[in-house]
Amino acid sequence: MSESCNGNCSSCGSDCGERKAESLLAKLNPNSSVKKVIAVVSGKGGVGKSTVTARMAVAMAKKGYRVGILDADITGPSMPKAFGVNECSGASDAGLYPALTQMGIQVMSINLLLDNDTDPVVWRGPVIAGAVKQFWTDVIWEDVDYLFVDMPPGTGDVPLTVFQSLPVDGILVVTSPQALVSMIVSKAVKMANMMHVPVLGFVENYSYFACPDCGKKLAVFGESKLEEVAGQYDVPILARLPIDPSVAAAFDAGLMETVDTSELNAAVEAVEQA
């Protein structure tokens, strides 16, 4: 194996017979402890993946687990805003300490390192992927039971880096009811299968809107097609989340820890069994 190997076989013309999956894993910071890594993915943007990540982290924290969130969406980071945190807890020669939310959830995001959270990150793919890896190797995650990785949409550099460099125990796939999503979801599931990462289940966001007057459920984005994909890949549907303006308001206000998480109970159980 070449010493300059970056783990991406598509970039290398040689046949590396000695390449093994475990040889690509990045070393966790020696001062860190992380028991389980759960990636939250989506095949496309705009399906509320970051909101689901935040709610899952809160749900696990409510059960008494020590939880962390690695914000791998470098060009579109949103975790600090969701929890109302603005800076890391500190740094030492040993590494960087993530921000702490009121519930003690550890959060690491590129927006915690920028002078202004509206400054764009104009980096090429390999640099972005390297930054994500550093959030694993250079950050001190203290006694984390479950580390959620909020992934950028798609199947590009960052998802590949996370799947190859971090010991991912399973993924949650976030989707929405539109017909287009069925095709995109299939891509995400197939990538996970190619990388030998277990798919724990689907979380469908924006499934319906419940009329505040009569309670009738309205399929704003059309009838869901997720059952077909779930049956095709034998992956369970763990939750169907409604369009809820109060959740969006809590996210914008940095108050995600106040949001009800009971709708994600099945997803929580799936993560506990990962």
Side-chain angles (χ1 to χ4, degrees):
M1 178 184 294
S2 170
E3 293 182 358
S4 61
C5 177
N6 62 7
N8 183 358
C9 292
S10 64
S11 67
C12 177
S14 62
D15 180 14
C16 187
E18 65 187 67
R19 176 178 178 272
K20 298 179 181 179
E22 58 268 25
S23 69
L24 301 176
L25 292 178
K27 291 184 178 180
L28 180 65
N29 186 295
N31 298 287
S32 293
S33 174
V34 176
K35 294 178 181 176
K36 295 283 186 178
V37 178
I38 306 296
V40 183
V41 310
S42 64
K44 65 183 293 296
V47 298
K49 170 186 51 57
S50 294
T51 304
V52 171
T53 301
R55 293 179 72 177
M56 283 297 302
V58 172
M60 300 300 289
K62 286 180 178 178
K63 294 200 69 173
Y65 295 111
R66 291 181 63 87
V67 181
I69 300 177
L70 190 161
D71 191 350
D73 196 350
I74 300 296
T75 59
S78 56
M79 286 298 112
K81 185 173 183 61
F83 290 96
V85 293
N86 302 304
E87 58 185 15
C88 294
S89 298
S92 69
D93 292 340
L96 193 64
Y97 292 91
L100 288 178
T101 71
Q102 291 186 358
M103 290 181 66
I105 296 172
Q106 301 172 46
V107 178
M108 189 61 223
S109 171
I110 195 67
N111 258 16
L112 298 173
L113 305 176
L114 300 177
D115 292 332
N116 190 325
D117 62 8
T118 61
D119 290 342
V121 177
V122 188
W123 296 344
R124 294 188 182 276
V127 179
I128 292 174
V132 171
K133 189 183 294 187
Q134 284 185 288
F135 284 171
W136 176 256
T137 60
D138 296 0
V139 172
I140 299 175
W141 301 98
E142 296 186 304
D143 299 322
V144 170
D145 295 310
Y146 292 96
L147 179 68
F148 288 93
V149 182
D150 185 32
M151 303 270 266
T155 55
D157 285 341
V158 170
L160 182 61
T161 296
V162 170
F163 287 152
Q164 289 187 326
S165 301
L166 275 61
V168 180
D169 295 282
I171 70 169
L172 294 173
V173 180
V174 181
T175 180
S176 58
Q178 298 100 315
L180 169 66
V181 173
S182 297
M183 176 187 69
I184 303 299
V185 164
S186 294
K187 291 180 182 290
V189 173
K190 286 181 179 180
M191 181 180 186
N193 291 338
M194 289 171 62
M195 305 303 296
H196 306 291
V197 177
V199 181
L200 304 180
F202 295 117
V203 174
E204 185 177 75
N205 208 13
Y206 311 139
S207 290
Y208 60 90
F209 176 74
C211 175
D213 296 323
C214 66
K216 182 178 180 180
K217 294 181 179 181
L218 306 173
V220 177
F221 290 109
E223 295 301 323
S224 175
K225 306 294 189 298
L226 187 58
E227 288 86 354
E228 300 173 14
V229 181
Q232 180 182 354
Y233 295 104
D234 194 26
V235 173
I237 300 174
L238 301 173
R240 294 183 185 273
L241 305 178
I243 298 172
D244 188 343
S246 67
V247 173
F251 194 105
D252 290 342
L255 298 173
M256 283 303 292
E257 288 166 311
T258 66
V259 172
D260 177 46
T261 59
S262 59
E263 294 166 320
L264 289 163
N265 286 345
V268 168
E269 292 178 6
V271 168
E272 289 178 315
Q273 296 170 12

